[in-house]
Amino acid sequence: MSDIWVLRHGESTANVEGLIVSAPGPRALVEVGLTELGREQARRAAADAATHGLGPATIVVSSDFARAHQTAEEFAAGIGAAAPRLDQRLRERSFGTHDEGPVSSYDLVWAVDRGRGEHEHEVEPVRAVSERVDAVLRDADRWAAEAPVVLVAHGDVLQIALALGSAEDPHDHRDVPHLGNAELRRIGPARLADASGARSALRPGTP
């Protein structure tokens, strides 16, 4: 089986503005794309990927949000791979009424995550994000039978994916080393272990 990698989107206009943009709509799907630095970061990620043996056969799968899709396009072109496949399951976590507000609200959300509490403000719970990420990882396991896979998405989504890949409780996703803009990282093999402690966090009734 080939490796599965995750790639966070490059610097976006929302990153520069310090805003949360998570609701599907014109802002996320079209308007909030990469800065020129973000595009350069994606191209550098492609150059780094080539040193790990990622090339034209690589399967690139991306969130359909503009900042991720543009990153995936730059990355795929840089390694000579086919155009990225779009997968809505890789969309940014929904931050509810915090959307279009300051990124300082992330800290409030993450504190509730760590405490296994119930979210207010219509925030998508960790369990819901984990379920869709887990489904993508299971598909990626099948795709990786033929070629390496790179999943291009967003901060919380990929932090949770990395937690699942390390057999950690996804509620502790912020304890996973932070994934920077356009950082490429191999995901751990624990995604294959259905009995892992991380997967137990997906059972009904868990916040």
Side-chain angles (χ1 to χ4, degrees):
M1 176 180 286
S2 299
D3 289 327
I4 297 175
W5 301 74
V6 296
L7 174 64
R8 187 182 169 205
H9 66 77
E11 181 188 75
S12 70
T13 56
N15 290 151
V16 173
E17 295 167 353
L19 294 177
I20 296 172
V21 178
S22 67
R27 284 274 290 159
L29 293 169
V30 179
E31 298 170 11
V32 177
L34 296 181
T35 63
E36 186 50 47
L37 173 59
R39 290 186 178 277
E40 177 57 30
Q41 289 172 332
R43 292 191 285 267
R44 288 201 299 264
D48 178 57
T51 68
H52 294 290
L54 298 180
T58 302
I59 299 169
V60 181
V61 185
S62 175
S63 159
D64 61 348
F65 280 17
R67 56 195 186 268
H69 188 193
Q70 291 172 7
T71 300
E73 288 179 326
E74 294 280 3
F75 179 82
I79 61 173
R85 307 174 185 178
L86 299 183
D87 193 323
Q88 293 183 6
R89 296 174 298 178
L90 290 172
R91 285 177 172 178
E92 175 64 289
R93 179 184 188 179
S94 174
F95 288 95
T97 59
H98 294 300
D99 206 63
E100 298 296 343
V103 295
S104 57
S105 296
Y106 286 139
D107 289 331
L108 302 175
V109 173
W110 296 336
V112 176
D113 290 349
R114 287 192 179 96
R116 278 65 169 170
E118 293 289 339
H119 280 288
E120 300 177 349
H121 306 289
E122 302 174 16
V123 173
E124 184 179 12
V126 168
R127 177 179 53 78
V129 181
S130 297
E131 286 173 347
R132 58 186 172 94
V133 169
D134 186 64
V136 174
L137 291 176
R138 290 176 183 274
D139 285 343
D141 287 333
R142 294 197 300 273
W143 302 329
E146 299 181 3
V149 178
V150 177
L151 305 176
V152 186
H154 310 265
D156 270 33
V157 170
L158 295 183
Q159 293 289 137
I160 287 171
L162 289 166
L164 290 171
S166 299
E168 298 177 28
D169 189 319
H171 291 88
D172 297 323
H173 61 94
R174 297 312 300 181
D175 294 336
V176 175
H178 175 68
L179 197 66
N181 283 123
E183 181 179 347
L184 181 70
R185 194 180 300 174
R186 184 186 288 109
I187 198 163
R191 65 184 187 279
L192 302 175
D194 289 349
S196 73
R199 292 201 189 278
S200 70
L202 306 184
R203 293 172 184 162
T206 305

